[in-house]
Amino acid sequence: MTEHLRSISNVGIVILSGRRGVEDRVRGLMGGADAWLSKPADLRELAVTLVSVRRRMAVVPAGGEAEPQPVRAPQPAAPAPEWVLTVDGWALVSPGGRSVSLTPSERLFIQCLFNQANEVVRREVLVEAMGHRPDYYLNHRLDMLVSRLRRKIQSETGEALPLRAVRGFGFILSRHQVSG
């Protein structure tokens, strides 16, 4: 089915299936699916997956509507060391291979940043991703979460999380290790 959809359209394809076997997932992804989720899927994870696939499928010109972006085969390149969020989202792995367990709030915060890696994410978007209302969630609470998370990651991995604050706007996460 995914092969047929991919042959006639450039739509994003997300498979939500009760099948959990590796072979089923591999077959679906190799057949053209952009993402695979197993049932029962968390509604937030499904929503974030859909947003992520849509973002990858669209290019937004300076002042216009989103246009479909062609699907391209990945280009082989030397892999740069990068931060990785585990599939279940409960641990962050540093470029050096050290893992840090995440609290529920840290997990939702980091997942939102990973879904928009290398892009500035507004504070309001991060607060909503953590399940709070931006009009009631105080800015200093988000700043404290970021401060504790940075200290925790530095302490447990010996590496600094490449997370920058953009004053008056939000945060940006670079998944690749920043040298310097």
Side-chain angles (χ1 to χ4, degrees), residues 22-159:
V22 173
E23 288 303 315
D24 294 317
R25 289 193 313 263
V26 169
R27 192 172 25 257
L29 294 168
M30 291 300 293
D34 296 293
W36 178 289
L37 296 173
S38 295
K39 291 180 184 177
D42 181 83
L43 189 56
R44 292 171 300 173
E45 182 180 17
L46 175 60
V48 169
T49 300
L50 293 172
V51 168
S52 177
V53 168
R54 182 181 187 287
R55 186 178 56 249
R56 287 193 312 249
M57 300 301 295
V59 173
V60 179
E65 294 283 318
E67 298 174 2
Q69 180 173 336
V71 176
R72 296 183 183 98
Q75 299 296 319
E82 69 175 26
W83 290 84
V84 177
L85 188 61
T86 58
V87 174
D88 64 5
W90 286 105
L92 185 62
V93 181
S94 75
R98 294 184 186 96
S99 181
V100 178
S101 296
L102 300 173
T103 66
S105 292
E106 292 168 345
R107 175 183 184 242
L108 295 170
F109 175 79
I110 289 291
Q111 280 179 328
C112 187
L113 288 167
F114 260 77
N115 289 329
Q116 297 181 53
N118 303 316
E119 296 176 20
V120 178
V121 181
R122 294 187 63 82
R123 286 177 168 272
E124 297 82 20
V125 171
L126 291 163
V127 169
E128 286 177 356
M130 292 187 307
H132 301 288
R133 289 183 43 193
D135 52 342
Y136 287 109
Y137 194 85
L138 301 175
N139 273 338
H140 79 277
R141 289 180 64 196
L142 185 60
D143 294 334
M144 290 302 298
L145 173 83
V146 170
S147 178
R148 284 191 309 268
L149 183 60
R150 283 180 171 148
R151 275 195 312 269
K152 175 180 175 178
I153 289 171
Q154 180 70 45
S155 171
E156 292 185 26
T157 68
E159 299 176 63

